[in-house]
Amino acid sequence: MNKVTYKCFYFLGLALTPVLGSAQQENIVSSVSDSLSNNITIVNDSLSEVIPLGKLDVVKSSQTESLALYKPTESSSYNLQDNELAAKFDSLWMKELVDAAPLFDEMYQEVMELDTVSTYVLDLPTDTLKMRLAKLNAKTPFNVEYNKSLESVIKSFLTRKRGLMERMLTISQFYFPLFEQELDNKNIPLEMKYLSIVESALNPKARSRVGATGLWQFMYGTGKEMKLNINSYVDERSDPIKSTEAAANYLNRLHRIYDDWDLALAAYNSGPGNVNKAIRRSGGQRNYWNIRRNLPRETAGYVPAFQATMYIFEYAEEHGLRSKKADRAYFETDTIHVKNLITFDQISELAGIDKEELKVLNPQYKLDVIPFVEGRPHALRLPVHKMGKFVANEEAIYAHVEKELKSKESPIAQITKQAEENSIRYRVRDGDFLGKIAERYGVRVSQLKQWNGLRSNNLRIGQRLTIYPRKNASSTVKPKETPSRTAVASNSKTHEVRSGDSLWTISRKYPGVTIENLRKWNGISGNNLKLGTKLKLCDCSS
């Protein structure tokens, strides 16, 4: 193969078809490598030097826009084009992955409120279920035992969540080969791949109400502990490869503690402390089903949901569950380390790839920007048929990107280089709210919400927030002083609530008035204010 090395990682992995034998896999990889080598040779033979971006022809079609090499003569040209049928299959498959993102909320809600009591009508005799569960128990190290609760969950998934399970069967073709390879490397039961369905519904951008993120739902602290890079631009908890490796390492640590995969699962969800308390409250029992009643509610539904998912995947055909099979056997992707900051919009325009596809292949980049930081490489993942265009014209692309950023006077590159050093962890205190915290650190409320995945303005005392404060925030952010402030305070006895007002901002407008004063004088218990409300600014009864 050409010296330009492509370490092709088939991100579908050896996916989208039933598992092949090693000889078949080697034949396929060999044929793909030969094809790649031929394409690369064409590119390299046609380039004696890097061609300036201005000399690249843009080839437009009805479906996409892609870079083509400059025509050196009227009679010869090299136009790198993908196979139209294969590209169509890739597009359909990508749409399946993009459309799957909202499924996380459905799965998350199901696990949080798992019904292990209701009876569901389904043609699944209890004796048949017992027999199948016994077979599963025999071939897996998990304690798969029949009980009424598990039967109820399985029947619930097969009736109420049938559509969700079929979607999971489809999307799993994309991720499971990657998971299986890493689990096998770490000597973890391959059935552990089903954990990702319960955790995230196979959505790498999934974020729970408490901030757990990614396919394997790492909290911020655990993610940092497992050496995952998390800053304002990058969150490797959403990187399928790195997060899977971290999850495998973390599961192994938990298994070394408990020597039991069911307890390791429970500890993965709620933490070893909660599992240890449940064991104590159960009189030292160690079987998950015996300590389940003493676990947090979410964890109590966690392992049953995992085992129900495992059962459904193993017996999908028997229950008539049908997944969509991709018409193209392999979806090949490749990675390259970026050498300069570049945005998804620029990559999409220059490499002729849909932005949504970029987001699916590179979910770890939070702001659709791939930063460049010395000593910490960041990779761009592209389909292999797009990679050739990018590599062949790499220097020209970066020159164009740099010129474009300078023309916009964008500070994004400097911000990116400083991002990792400038973050702080803030603990929410009594009386805190987003506007107050944002003002303190010279940032916007919208930024606080974006950095921490907040869907509302509500905060909990003790909650940890990641903040990237502006330099010298304390000196640059000053209260708005107006000539009339003192006069207004002395002459006014009420304040009408306007858009953007909060107890904090109102108290700052009137000297001597505190948040507690406003609450006491107006009978307010929380922080919510209604527009148009007139608030008392004094204890008018005294």
Side-chain angles (χ1 to χ4, degrees), residues 336-342 370-374 378 390 394-395 398:
I336 184 172
H337 286 154
V338 299
K339 299 176 181 177
N340 205 341
L341 178 141
I342 191 167
I370 304 180
F372 176 73
V373 181
E374 289 288 348
H378 292 103
F390 193 94
E394 193 172 12
E395 291 186 23
Y398 286 130

PDB file of all heavy atoms in Angstrom, residues 336-342 370-374 378 390 394-395 398:
ATOM      1  N   ILE A 336      -7.790  11.631  10.780  1.00  0.00           N
ATOM      2  CA  ILE A 336      -6.570  12.397  10.543  1.00  0.00           C
ATOM      3  C   ILE A 336      -6.479  13.462  11.626  1.00  0.00           C
ATOM      4  O   ILE A 336      -7.490  14.046  12.017  1.00  0.00           O
ATOM      5  CB  ILE A 336      -6.579  13.044   9.136  1.00  0.00           C
ATOM      6  CG1 ILE A 336      -5.257  13.763   8.872  1.00  0.00           C
ATOM      7  CG2 ILE A 336      -7.760  13.988   8.967  1.00  0.00           C
ATOM      8  CD1 ILE A 336      -5.118  14.254   7.448  1.00  0.00           C
ATOM      9  N   HIS A 337      -5.276  13.690  12.160  1.00  0.00           N
ATOM     10  CA  HIS A 337      -5.097  14.730  13.165  1.00  0.00           C
ATOM     11  C   HIS A 337      -5.107  16.094  12.492  1.00  0.00           C
ATOM     12  O   HIS A 337      -4.400  16.315  11.504  1.00  0.00           O
ATOM     13  CB  HIS A 337      -3.772  14.530  13.905  1.00  0.00           C
ATOM     14  CG  HIS A 337      -3.801  13.386  14.862  1.00  0.00           C
ATOM     15  ND1 HIS A 337      -2.677  12.688  15.233  1.00  0.00           N
ATOM     16  CD2 HIS A 337      -4.832  12.794  15.532  1.00  0.00           C
ATOM     17  CE1 HIS A 337      -3.003  11.723  16.078  1.00  0.00           C
ATOM     18  NE2 HIS A 337      -4.309  11.774  16.270  1.00  0.00           N
ATOM     19  N   VAL A 338      -5.915  17.007  13.047  1.00  0.00           N
ATOM     20  CA  VAL A 338      -5.979  18.339  12.456  1.00  0.00           C
ATOM     21  C   VAL A 338      -4.713  19.111  12.816  1.00  0.00           C
ATOM     22  O   VAL A 338      -4.128  18.914  13.879  1.00  0.00           O
ATOM     23  CB  VAL A 338      -7.232  19.109  12.913  1.00  0.00           C
ATOM     24  CG1 VAL A 338      -8.491  18.384  12.497  1.00  0.00           C
ATOM     25  CG2 VAL A 338      -7.225  19.334  14.421  1.00  0.00           C
ATOM     26  N   LYS A 339      -4.300  19.998  11.925  1.00  0.00           N
ATOM     27  CA  LYS A 339      -3.070  20.779  12.115  1.00  0.00           C
ATOM     28  C   LYS A 339      -3.362  22.249  12.344  1.00  0.00           C
ATOM     29  O   LYS A 339      -2.450  23.063  12.476  1.00  0.00           O
ATOM     30  CB  LYS A 339      -2.169  20.610  10.892  1.00  0.00           C
ATOM     31  CG  LYS A 339      -1.750  19.157  10.679  1.00  0.00           C
ATOM     32  CD  LYS A 339      -0.944  18.993   9.415  1.00  0.00           C
ATOM     33  CE  LYS A 339      -0.562  17.530   9.211  1.00  0.00           C
ATOM     34  NZ  LYS A 339       0.161  17.319   7.936  1.00  0.00           N
ATOM     35  N   ASN A 340      -4.625  22.579  12.377  1.00  0.00           N
ATOM     36  CA  ASN A 340      -5.038  23.951  12.651  1.00  0.00           C
ATOM     37  C   ASN A 340      -6.509  23.901  13.049  1.00  0.00           C
ATOM     38  O   ASN A 340      -7.206  22.947  12.723  1.00  0.00           O
ATOM     39  CB  ASN A 340      -4.858  24.829  11.409  1.00  0.00           C
ATOM     40  CG  ASN A 340      -4.688  26.291  11.781  1.00  0.00           C
ATOM     41  OD1 ASN A 340      -5.030  26.706  12.882  1.00  0.00           O
ATOM     42  ND2 ASN A 340      -4.157  27.083  10.862  1.00  0.00           N
ATOM     43  N   LEU A 341      -6.949  24.921  13.754  1.00  0.00           N
ATOM     44  CA  LEU A 341      -8.360  24.991  14.090  1.00  0.00           C
ATOM     45  C   LEU A 341      -9.200  25.016  12.817  1.00  0.00           C
ATOM     46  O   LEU A 341      -8.863  25.698  11.854  1.00  0.00           O
ATOM     47  CB  LEU A 341      -8.615  26.247  14.914  1.00  0.00           C
ATOM     48  CG  LEU A 341     -10.070  26.507  15.327  1.00  0.00           C
ATOM     49  CD1 LEU A 341     -10.130  27.040  16.735  1.00  0.00           C
ATOM     50  CD2 LEU A 341     -10.730  27.485  14.359  1.00  0.00           C
ATOM     51  N   ILE A 342     -10.294  24.250  12.823  1.00  0.00           N
ATOM     52  CA  ILE A 342     -11.168  24.202  11.652  1.00  0.00           C
ATOM     53  C   ILE A 342     -12.588  23.934  12.117  1.00  0.00           C
ATOM     54  O   ILE A 342     -12.807  23.211  13.102  1.00  0.00           O
ATOM     55  CB  ILE A 342     -10.690  23.125  10.653  1.00  0.00           C
ATOM     56  CG1 ILE A 342     -11.427  23.255   9.316  1.00  0.00           C
ATOM     57  CG2 ILE A 342     -10.819  21.733  11.225  1.00  0.00           C
ATOM     58  CD1 ILE A 342     -10.800  22.431   8.198  1.00  0.00           C
ATOM     59  N   ILE A 370     -13.275  21.945  15.603  1.00  0.00           N
ATOM     60  CA  ILE A 370     -12.175  21.074  16.028  1.00  0.00           C
ATOM     61  C   ILE A 370     -11.002  21.981  16.375  1.00  0.00           C
ATOM     62  O   ILE A 370     -10.437  22.648  15.504  1.00  0.00           O
ATOM     63  CB  ILE A 370     -11.771  20.080  14.925  1.00  0.00           C
ATOM     64  CG1 ILE A 370     -12.987  19.258  14.491  1.00  0.00           C
ATOM     65  CG2 ILE A 370     -10.654  19.164  15.422  1.00  0.00           C
ATOM     66  CD1 ILE A 370     -12.685  18.253  13.406  1.00  0.00           C
ATOM     67  N   PRO A 371     -10.649  22.050  17.661  1.00  0.00           N
ATOM     68  CA  PRO A 371      -9.593  22.974  18.069  1.00  0.00           C
ATOM     69  C   PRO A 371      -8.208  22.417  17.780  1.00  0.00           C
ATOM     70  O   PRO A 371      -8.043  21.222  17.533  1.00  0.00           O
ATOM     71  CB  PRO A 371      -9.821  23.105  19.575  1.00  0.00           C
ATOM     72  CG  PRO A 371     -10.383  21.772  19.967  1.00  0.00           C
ATOM     73  CD  PRO A 371     -11.216  21.310  18.801  1.00  0.00           C
ATOM     74  N   PHE A 372      -7.232  23.295  17.824  1.00  0.00           N
ATOM     75  CA  PHE A 372      -5.838  22.866  17.718  1.00  0.00           C
ATOM     76  C   PHE A 372      -5.115  23.333  18.969  1.00  0.00           C
ATOM     77  O   PHE A 372      -5.046  24.532  19.256  1.00  0.00           O
ATOM     78  CB  PHE A 372      -5.168  23.455  16.482  1.00  0.00           C
ATOM     79  CG  PHE A 372      -3.696  23.106  16.393  1.00  0.00           C
ATOM     80  CD1 PHE A 372      -3.299  21.817  16.053  1.00  0.00           C
ATOM     81  CD2 PHE A 372      -2.724  24.052  16.671  1.00  0.00           C
ATOM     82  CE1 PHE A 372      -1.955  21.480  15.991  1.00  0.00           C
ATOM     83  CE2 PHE A 372      -1.380  23.721  16.607  1.00  0.00           C
ATOM     84  CZ  PHE A 372      -0.993  22.440  16.270  1.00  0.00           C
ATOM     85  N   VAL A 373      -4.606  22.386  19.742  1.00  0.00           N
ATOM     86  CA  VAL A 373      -3.876  22.679  20.968  1.00  0.00           C
ATOM     87  C   VAL A 373      -2.552  21.928  20.923  1.00  0.00           C
ATOM     88  O   VAL A 373      -2.538  20.706  20.729  1.00  0.00           O
ATOM     89  CB  VAL A 373      -4.686  22.258  22.219  1.00  0.00           C
ATOM     90  CG1 VAL A 373      -3.927  22.582  23.487  1.00  0.00           C
ATOM     91  CG2 VAL A 373      -6.052  22.924  22.231  1.00  0.00           C
ATOM     92  N   GLU A 374      -1.456  22.641  21.083  1.00  0.00           N
ATOM     93  CA  GLU A 374      -0.137  22.013  21.057  1.00  0.00           C
ATOM     94  C   GLU A 374      -0.053  20.915  22.116  1.00  0.00           C
ATOM     95  O   GLU A 374      -0.413  21.110  23.267  1.00  0.00           O
ATOM     96  CB  GLU A 374       0.956  23.057  21.308  1.00  0.00           C
ATOM     97  CG  GLU A 374       1.168  24.036  20.166  1.00  0.00           C
ATOM     98  CD  GLU A 374       1.844  23.401  18.954  1.00  0.00           C
ATOM     99  OE1 GLU A 374       2.346  22.276  19.084  1.00  0.00           O
ATOM    100  OE2 GLU A 374       1.862  24.036  17.878  1.00  0.00           O
ATOM    101  N   HIS A 378      -6.083  16.432  18.147  1.00  0.00           N
ATOM    102  CA  HIS A 378      -7.511  16.213  17.957  1.00  0.00           C
ATOM    103  C   HIS A 378      -7.727  15.668  16.554  1.00  0.00           C
ATOM    104  O   HIS A 378      -7.164  16.172  15.583  1.00  0.00           O
ATOM    105  CB  HIS A 378      -8.296  17.514  18.141  1.00  0.00           C
ATOM    106  CG  HIS A 378      -8.286  18.019  19.548  1.00  0.00           C
ATOM    107  ND1 HIS A 378      -7.488  19.066  19.964  1.00  0.00           N
ATOM    108  CD2 HIS A 378      -8.960  17.606  20.648  1.00  0.00           C
ATOM    109  CE1 HIS A 378      -7.690  19.278  21.255  1.00  0.00           C
ATOM    110  NE2 HIS A 378      -8.578  18.406  21.693  1.00  0.00           N
ATOM    111  N   PHE A 390      -9.419  15.480   1.255  1.00  0.00           N
ATOM    112  CA  PHE A 390      -8.905  16.302   2.343  1.00  0.00           C
ATOM    113  C   PHE A 390      -7.381  16.211   2.419  1.00  0.00           C
ATOM    114  O   PHE A 390      -6.691  17.228   2.506  1.00  0.00           O
ATOM    115  CB  PHE A 390      -9.530  15.863   3.669  1.00  0.00           C
ATOM    116  CG  PHE A 390      -9.309  16.831   4.800  1.00  0.00           C
ATOM    117  CD1 PHE A 390     -10.256  17.799   5.089  1.00  0.00           C
ATOM    118  CD2 PHE A 390      -8.159  16.783   5.574  1.00  0.00           C
ATOM    119  CE1 PHE A 390     -10.066  18.701   6.131  1.00  0.00           C
ATOM    120  CE2 PHE A 390      -7.945  17.681   6.603  1.00  0.00           C
ATOM    121  CZ  PHE A 390      -8.915  18.643   6.893  1.00  0.00           C
ATOM    122  N   GLU A 394      -4.505  19.193   1.792  1.00  0.00           N
ATOM    123  CA  GLU A 394      -4.504  19.570   3.204  1.00  0.00           C
ATOM    124  C   GLU A 394      -3.918  20.966   3.438  1.00  0.00           C
ATOM    125  O   GLU A 394      -4.526  21.805   4.101  1.00  0.00           O
ATOM    126  CB  GLU A 394      -3.710  18.522   3.996  1.00  0.00           C
ATOM    127  CG  GLU A 394      -3.888  18.622   5.489  1.00  0.00           C
ATOM    128  CD  GLU A 394      -3.232  17.453   6.202  1.00  0.00           C
ATOM    129  OE1 GLU A 394      -2.468  16.720   5.548  1.00  0.00           O
ATOM    130  OE2 GLU A 394      -3.476  17.298   7.402  1.00  0.00           O
ATOM    131  N   GLU A 395      -2.736  21.224   2.891  1.00  0.00           N
ATOM    132  CA  GLU A 395      -2.092  22.511   3.136  1.00  0.00           C
ATOM    133  C   GLU A 395      -2.922  23.657   2.579  1.00  0.00           C
ATOM    134  O   GLU A 395      -3.051  24.720   3.188  1.00  0.00           O
ATOM    135  CB  GLU A 395      -0.684  22.516   2.531  1.00  0.00           C
ATOM    136  CG  GLU A 395       0.284  21.586   3.244  1.00  0.00           C
ATOM    137  CD  GLU A 395       1.704  21.729   2.708  1.00  0.00           C
ATOM    138  OE1 GLU A 395       2.016  22.796   2.140  1.00  0.00           O
ATOM    139  OE2 GLU A 395       2.488  20.785   2.856  1.00  0.00           O
ATOM    140  N   TYR A 398      -5.928  24.304   4.922  1.00  0.00           N
ATOM    141  CA  TYR A 398      -5.582  25.042   6.130  1.00  0.00           C
ATOM    142  C   TYR A 398      -5.256  26.501   5.824  1.00  0.00           C
ATOM    143  O   TYR A 398      -5.559  27.401   6.614  1.00  0.00           O
ATOM    144  CB  TYR A 398      -4.424  24.368   6.861  1.00  0.00           C
ATOM    145  CG  TYR A 398      -4.823  23.095   7.566  1.00  0.00           C
ATOM    146  CD1 TYR A 398      -4.089  21.918   7.403  1.00  0.00           C
ATOM    147  CD2 TYR A 398      -5.942  23.056   8.388  1.00  0.00           C
ATOM    148  CE1 TYR A 398      -4.455  20.751   8.039  1.00  0.00           C
ATOM    149  CE2 TYR A 398      -6.319  21.886   9.036  1.00  0.00           C
ATOM    150  CZ  TYR A 398      -5.569  20.744   8.857  1.00  0.00           C
ATOM    151  OH  TYR A 398      -5.947  19.585   9.497  1.00  0.00           O
TER     152      TYR A 398
END
